[in-house]
PDB file of all heavy atoms in Angstrom:
ATOM      1  N   TRP A 159       0.875   0.131   9.390  1.00 95.00           N
ATOM      2  CA  TRP A 159      -0.062   1.214   9.144  1.00 95.00           C
ATOM      3  C   TRP A 159       0.594   2.157   8.143  1.00 95.00           C
ATOM      4  O   TRP A 159       1.728   2.599   8.353  1.00 95.00           O
ATOM      5  CB  TRP A 159      -0.397   1.971  10.422  1.00 95.00           C
ATOM      6  CG  TRP A 159      -1.445   1.313  11.253  1.00 95.00           C
ATOM      7  CD1 TRP A 159      -1.270   0.510  12.343  1.00 95.00           C
ATOM      8  CD2 TRP A 159      -2.861   1.405  11.067  1.00 95.00           C
ATOM      9  NE1 TRP A 159      -2.473   0.091  12.831  1.00 95.00           N
ATOM     10  CE2 TRP A 159      -3.473   0.617  12.068  1.00 95.00           C
ATOM     11  CE3 TRP A 159      -3.684   2.071  10.145  1.00 95.00           C
ATOM     12  CZ2 TRP A 159      -4.855   0.492  12.183  1.00 95.00           C
ATOM     13  CZ3 TRP A 159      -5.046   1.945  10.254  1.00 95.00           C
ATOM     14  CH2 TRP A 159      -5.626   1.166  11.266  1.00 95.00           C
ATOM     15  N   TYR A 160      -0.163   2.425   7.072  1.00 94.00           N
ATOM     16  CA  TYR A 160       0.281   3.367   6.053  1.00 94.00           C
ATOM     17  C   TYR A 160      -0.660   4.566   6.052  1.00 94.00           C
ATOM     18  O   TYR A 160      -1.852   4.457   6.332  1.00 94.00           O
ATOM     19  CB  TYR A 160       0.264   2.731   4.660  1.00 94.00           C
ATOM     20  CG  TYR A 160       1.454   1.858   4.363  1.00 94.00           C
ATOM     21  CD1 TYR A 160       1.447   0.508   4.679  1.00 94.00           C
ATOM     22  CD2 TYR A 160       2.587   2.387   3.767  1.00 94.00           C
ATOM     23  CE1 TYR A 160       2.536  -0.305   4.399  1.00 94.00           C
ATOM     24  CE2 TYR A 160       3.683   1.590   3.486  1.00 94.00           C
ATOM     25  CZ  TYR A 160       3.652   0.246   3.804  1.00 94.00           C
ATOM     26  OH  TYR A 160       4.733  -0.545   3.536  1.00 94.00           O
ATOM     27  N   LYS A 161      -0.104   5.696   5.692  1.00 94.00           N
ATOM     28  CA  LYS A 161      -0.848   6.940   5.585  1.00 94.00           C
ATOM     29  C   LYS A 161      -0.826   7.380   4.132  1.00 94.00           C
ATOM     30  O   LYS A 161       0.224   7.365   3.476  1.00 94.00           O
ATOM     31  CB  LYS A 161      -0.174   7.987   6.482  1.00 94.00           C
ATOM     32  CG  LYS A 161      -0.613   9.408   6.287  1.00 94.00           C
ATOM     33  CD  LYS A 161       0.237  10.329   7.158  1.00 94.00           C
ATOM     34  CE  LYS A 161      -0.104  11.780   6.936  1.00 94.00           C
ATOM     35  NZ  LYS A 161       0.733  12.668   7.794  1.00 94.00           N
ATOM     36  N   GLN A 162      -1.981   7.784   3.621  1.00 92.00           N
ATOM     37  CA  GLN A 162      -2.060   8.301   2.264  1.00 92.00           C
ATOM     38  C   GLN A 162      -2.718   9.676   2.302  1.00 92.00           C
ATOM     39  O   GLN A 162      -3.941   9.795   2.344  1.00 92.00           O
ATOM     40  CB  GLN A 162      -2.833   7.356   1.347  1.00 92.00           C
ATOM     41  CG  GLN A 162      -2.746   7.734  -0.119  1.00 92.00           C
ATOM     42  CD  GLN A 162      -3.488   6.777  -1.025  1.00 92.00           C
ATOM     43  OE1 GLN A 162      -4.539   6.278  -0.668  1.00 92.00           O
ATOM     44  NE2 GLN A 162      -2.933   6.516  -2.213  1.00 92.00           N
ATOM     45  N   PRO A 163      -1.942  10.742   2.279  1.00 89.00           N
ATOM     46  CA  PRO A 163      -2.509  12.096   2.294  1.00 89.00           C
ATOM     47  C   PRO A 163      -3.101  12.431   0.929  1.00 89.00           C
ATOM     48  O   PRO A 163      -2.976  11.630  -0.004  1.00 89.00           O
ATOM     49  CB  PRO A 163      -1.297  12.976   2.616  1.00 89.00           C
ATOM     50  CG  PRO A 163      -0.117  12.167   2.206  1.00 89.00           C
ATOM     51  CD  PRO A 163      -0.499  10.720   2.322  1.00 89.00           C
ATOM     52  N   PRO A 164      -3.711  13.575   0.805  1.00 81.00           N
ATOM     53  CA  PRO A 164      -4.318  13.949  -0.482  1.00 81.00           C
ATOM     54  C   PRO A 164      -3.346  13.920  -1.652  1.00 81.00           C
ATOM     55  O   PRO A 164      -3.761  13.736  -2.785  1.00 81.00           O
ATOM     56  CB  PRO A 164      -4.830  15.374  -0.215  1.00 81.00           C
ATOM     57  CG  PRO A 164      -5.116  15.375   1.251  1.00 81.00           C
ATOM     58  CD  PRO A 164      -4.055  14.513   1.873  1.00 81.00           C
ATOM     59  N   SER A 165      -2.056  14.048  -1.386  1.00 72.00           N
ATOM     60  CA  SER A 165      -1.058  13.976  -2.461  1.00 72.00           C
ATOM     61  C   SER A 165      -0.957  12.581  -3.051  1.00 72.00           C
ATOM     62  O   SER A 165      -0.322  12.386  -4.077  1.00 72.00           O
ATOM     63  CB  SER A 165       0.314  14.399  -1.930  1.00 72.00           C
ATOM     64  OG  SER A 165       0.781  13.445  -0.978  1.00 72.00           O
ATOM     65  N   ARG A 166      -1.535  11.588  -2.364  1.00 72.00           N
ATOM     66  CA  ARG A 166      -1.654  10.207  -2.848  1.00 72.00           C
ATOM     67  C   ARG A 166      -0.434   9.324  -2.609  1.00 72.00           C
ATOM     68  O   ARG A 166      -0.484   8.151  -2.841  1.00 72.00           O
ATOM     69  CB  ARG A 166      -2.000  10.172  -4.345  1.00 72.00           C
ATOM     70  CG  ARG A 166      -3.328  10.804  -4.675  1.00 72.00           C
ATOM     71  CD  ARG A 166      -4.455   9.896  -4.309  1.00 72.00           C
ATOM     72  NE  ARG A 166      -5.758  10.481  -4.529  1.00 72.00           N
ATOM     73  CZ  ARG A 166      -6.901   9.824  -4.420  1.00 72.00           C
ATOM     74  NH1 ARG A 166      -6.888   8.567  -4.082  1.00 72.00           N
ATOM     75  NH2 ARG A 166      -8.037  10.427  -4.636  1.00 72.00           N
ATOM     76  N   GLN A 167       0.694   9.887  -2.208  1.00 83.00           N
ATOM     77  CA  GLN A 167       1.861   9.035  -1.952  1.00 83.00           C
ATOM     78  C   GLN A 167       1.641   8.248  -0.664  1.00 83.00           C
ATOM     79  O   GLN A 167       1.313   8.819   0.372  1.00 83.00           O
ATOM     80  CB  GLN A 167       3.114   9.900  -1.805  1.00 83.00           C
ATOM     81  CG  GLN A 167       4.382   9.100  -1.622  1.00 83.00           C
ATOM     82  CD  GLN A 167       5.269   9.145  -2.844  1.00 83.00           C
ATOM     83  OE1 GLN A 167       5.337  10.158  -3.517  1.00 83.00           O
ATOM     84  NE2 GLN A 167       5.952   8.062  -3.141  1.00 83.00           N
ATOM     85  N   MET A 168       1.821   6.947  -0.723  1.00 88.00           N
ATOM     86  CA  MET A 168       1.639   6.084   0.433  1.00 88.00           C
ATOM     87  C   MET A 168       2.896   6.157   1.303  1.00 88.00           C
ATOM     88  O   MET A 168       4.008   5.931   0.826  1.00 88.00           O
ATOM     89  CB  MET A 168       1.417   4.650  -0.048  1.00 88.00           C
ATOM     90  CG  MET A 168       0.836   3.730   0.987  1.00 88.00           C
ATOM     91  SD  MET A 168      -0.914   4.011   1.245  1.00 88.00           S
ATOM     92  CE  MET A 168      -1.585   3.210  -0.194  1.00 88.00           C
ATOM     93  N   ILE A 169       2.692   6.425   2.591  1.00 89.00           N
ATOM     94  CA  ILE A 169       3.815   6.617   3.492  1.00 89.00           C
ATOM     95  C   ILE A 169       3.680   5.667   4.673  1.00 89.00           C
ATOM     96  O   ILE A 169       2.618   5.571   5.284  1.00 89.00           O
ATOM     97  CB  ILE A 169       3.839   8.074   4.029  1.00 89.00           C
ATOM     98  CG1 ILE A 169       3.923   9.073   2.861  1.00 89.00           C
ATOM     99  CG2 ILE A 169       5.000   8.289   4.995  1.00 89.00           C
ATOM    100  CD1 ILE A 169       3.579  10.487   3.249  1.00 89.00           C
ATOM    101  N   LEU A 170       4.774   4.973   5.008  1.00 88.00           N
ATOM    102  CA  LEU A 170       4.760   4.079   6.156  1.00 88.00           C
ATOM    103  C   LEU A 170       4.683   4.888   7.453  1.00 88.00           C
ATOM    104  O   LEU A 170       5.450   5.815   7.658  1.00 88.00           O
ATOM    105  CB  LEU A 170       6.015   3.211   6.172  1.00 88.00           C
ATOM    106  CG  LEU A 170       6.158   2.276   7.373  1.00 88.00           C
ATOM    107  CD1 LEU A 170       5.097   1.183   7.326  1.00 88.00           C
ATOM    108  CD2 LEU A 170       7.551   1.674   7.416  1.00 88.00           C
ATOM    109  N   VAL A 171       3.756   4.515   8.323  1.00 93.00           N
ATOM    110  CA  VAL A 171       3.624   5.163   9.630  1.00 93.00           C
ATOM    111  C   VAL A 171       4.325   4.346  10.706  1.00 93.00           C
ATOM    112  O   VAL A 171       5.144   4.870  11.473  1.00 93.00           O
ATOM    113  CB  VAL A 171       2.135   5.342  10.006  1.00 93.00           C
ATOM    114  CG1 VAL A 171       1.999   5.913  11.414  1.00 93.00           C
ATOM    115  CG2 VAL A 171       1.440   6.240   8.988  1.00 93.00           C
ATOM    116  N   ILE A 172       4.020   3.059  10.747  1.00 92.00           N
ATOM    117  CA  ILE A 172       4.546   2.213  11.810  1.00 92.00           C
ATOM    118  C   ILE A 172       4.399   0.756  11.416  1.00 92.00           C
ATOM    119  O   ILE A 172       3.529   0.419  10.607  1.00 92.00           O
ATOM    120  CB  ILE A 172       3.809   2.518  13.142  1.00 92.00           C
ATOM    121  CG1 ILE A 172       4.581   2.012  14.355  1.00 92.00           C
ATOM    122  CG2 ILE A 172       2.384   1.981  13.101  1.00 92.00           C
ATOM    123  CD1 ILE A 172       4.056   2.601  15.678  1.00 92.00           C
ATOM    124  N   ARG A 173       5.267  -0.098  11.957  1.00 90.00           N
ATOM    125  CA  ARG A 173       5.182  -1.521  11.656  1.00 90.00           C
ATOM    126  C   ARG A 173       5.306  -2.322  12.948  1.00 90.00           C
ATOM    127  O   ARG A 173       5.835  -1.838  13.936  1.00 90.00           O
ATOM    128  CB  ARG A 173       6.300  -1.930  10.716  1.00 90.00           C
ATOM    129  CG  ARG A 173       7.678  -1.711  11.307  1.00 90.00           C
ATOM    130  CD  ARG A 173       8.755  -2.509  10.615  1.00 90.00           C
ATOM    131  NE  ARG A 173      10.059  -2.083  11.120  1.00 90.00           N
ATOM    132  CZ  ARG A 173      10.622  -2.573  12.217  1.00 90.00           C
ATOM    133  NH1 ARG A 173      10.011  -3.517  12.902  1.00 90.00           N
ATOM    134  NH2 ARG A 173      11.797  -2.142  12.613  1.00 90.00           N
TER     135      ARG A 173
END
Side-chain angles (χ1 to χ4, degrees):
Chain A
W159 278 98
Y160 280 89
K161 167 185 176 180
Q162 190 179 37
S165 67
R166 298 283 177 172
Q167 183 108 35
M168 196 76 77
I169 302 164
L170 177 68
V171 175
I172 198 166
R173 62 161 172 85

